[in-house]
């Protein structure tokens, strides 16, 4: 989970804002995003605090709280979803009106029990063949680039309805 990204999102900021405000390199912020809060340097906490307009102590407390509650990356639009995929978020919550655009992907997903027999019977070759066919179909698709990226990435996730306004996407590999 990209804890830094989740924290910044809750404060309506992005890593780029921290870079722009403080000069902390994007590479360093990317590395920090993969760490636990105890691995954050004082310099990093200070940069985050300056960007979100809070004290260092408040930022540290809020980061530790988020880490404890295991917060999910929240998505409200296509840009947020593409960022979540880029950051390889393990859990993504799709909220609000954007949920309606993701529902067709959920309806098209086969359950694991529906694919297990074919996968086992073919020694996994059906899955390989299906991926090849999907890549060829995507290549010749007339849909826009962002839609194709979402279509390609969302296959790596299971989709679960949390309530009427939220969908949870979580990596399929977490089931194993």
């Amino acid at each position: 989970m990209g804890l830094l990204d989740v924290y910044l999102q809750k404060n309506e900021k992005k890593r780029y804002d921290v870079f722009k405000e403080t000069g902390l390199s994007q590479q360093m912020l990317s590395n920090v995003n993969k760490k636990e809060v105890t691995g954050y340097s004082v310099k990093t906490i200070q940069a985050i605090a300056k960007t979100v307009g809070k004290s260092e102590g408040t930022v540290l407390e809020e980061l530790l709280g988020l880490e404890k509650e295991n917060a999910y990356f929240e998505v409200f639009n296509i840009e947020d979803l593409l960022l979540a995929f880029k950051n390889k978020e393990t859990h993504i919550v799709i909220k609000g009106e954007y949920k309606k655009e993701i529902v067709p992907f959920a309806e098209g997903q086969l359950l694991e029990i529906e694919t297990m027999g074919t996968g086992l019977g073919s020694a996994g070759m059906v899955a390989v063949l299906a991926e090849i066919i999907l890549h060829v179909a995507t290549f010749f698709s007339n849909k826009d680039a962002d839609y194709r990226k979402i279509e390609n990435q969302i296959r790596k996730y299971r989709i679960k309805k949390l309530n009427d306004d939220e969908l949870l996407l979580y990596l399929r590999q977490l089931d194993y």
Side-chain angles (χ1 to χ4, degrees), residues 100-151:
K100 292 176 186 171
E101 295 184 37
I102 300 302
V103 168
F105 292 109
E107 292 169 350
Q109 251 189 8
L110 292 175
L111 299 174
E112 187 170 349
I113 200 160
E114 296 170 327
T115 59
M116 191 182 313
T118 308
L120 291 172
S122 68
M125 289 307 295
V126 168
V128 173
L129 185 60
E131 279 297 311
I132 292 170
I133 291 169
L134 285 169
H135 281 291
V136 170
T138 300
F139 180 76
F140 289 109
S141 172
N142 60 358
K143 298 172 184 159
D144 73 336
D146 287 342
Y147 186 87
R148 288 195 311 255
K149 284 180 194 173
I150 290 171
E151 203 172 41

Side-chain angles (χ1 to χ4, degrees), residues 90-108:
T90 57
H91 293 81
I92 303 166
V93 175
I94 299 179
K95 294 186 164 196
E97 290 297 311
Y98 190 61
K99 176 196 163 228
K100 292 176 186 171
E101 295 184 37
I102 300 302
V103 168
F105 292 109
E107 292 169 350

Side-chain angles (χ1 to χ4, degrees), residues 8-108:
L8 291 172
Q9 182 187 41
K10 287 187 180 290
N11 286 279
E12 299 177 357
K13 300 287 182 183
K14 295 183 179 180
R15 279 188 264 161
Y16 180 75
D17 297 322
V18 178
F19 162 71
K20 203 166 79 175
E21 180 80 24
T22 65
L24 217 55
S25 77
Q26 299 243 17
Q27 180 64 38
M28 182 177 176
L29 292 169
S30 177
N31 291 336
V32 166
N33 197 41
K34 299 171 190 167
K35 294 181 182 181
E36 293 180 2
V37 176
T38 56
Y40 287 25
S41 70
V42 173
K43 183 179 179 181
T44 303
I45 297 291
Q46 288 172 333
I48 296 166
K50 183 177 181 182
T51 304
V52 298
K54 297 180 180 179
S55 72
E56 290 89 350
T58 302
V59 168
L60 187 56
E61 281 179 25
E62 291 175 351
L63 280 167
L64 288 168
L66 272 177
E67 187 175 58
K68 196 175 205 175
E69 74 181 41
N70 217 0
Y72 298 150
F73 194 91
E74 295 178 349
V75 170
F76 298 94
N77 55 45
I78 191 168
E79 292 83 19
D80 291 344
L81 184 58
L82 291 172
L83 177 64
F85 288 151
K86 181 181 176 194
N87 294 340
K88 298 179 174 117
E89 297 290 340
T90 57
H91 293 81
I92 303 166
V93 175
I94 299 179
K95 294 186 164 196
E97 290 297 311
Y98 190 61
K99 176 196 163 228
K100 292 176 186 171
E101 295 184 37
I102 300 302
V103 168
F105 292 109
E107 292 169 350

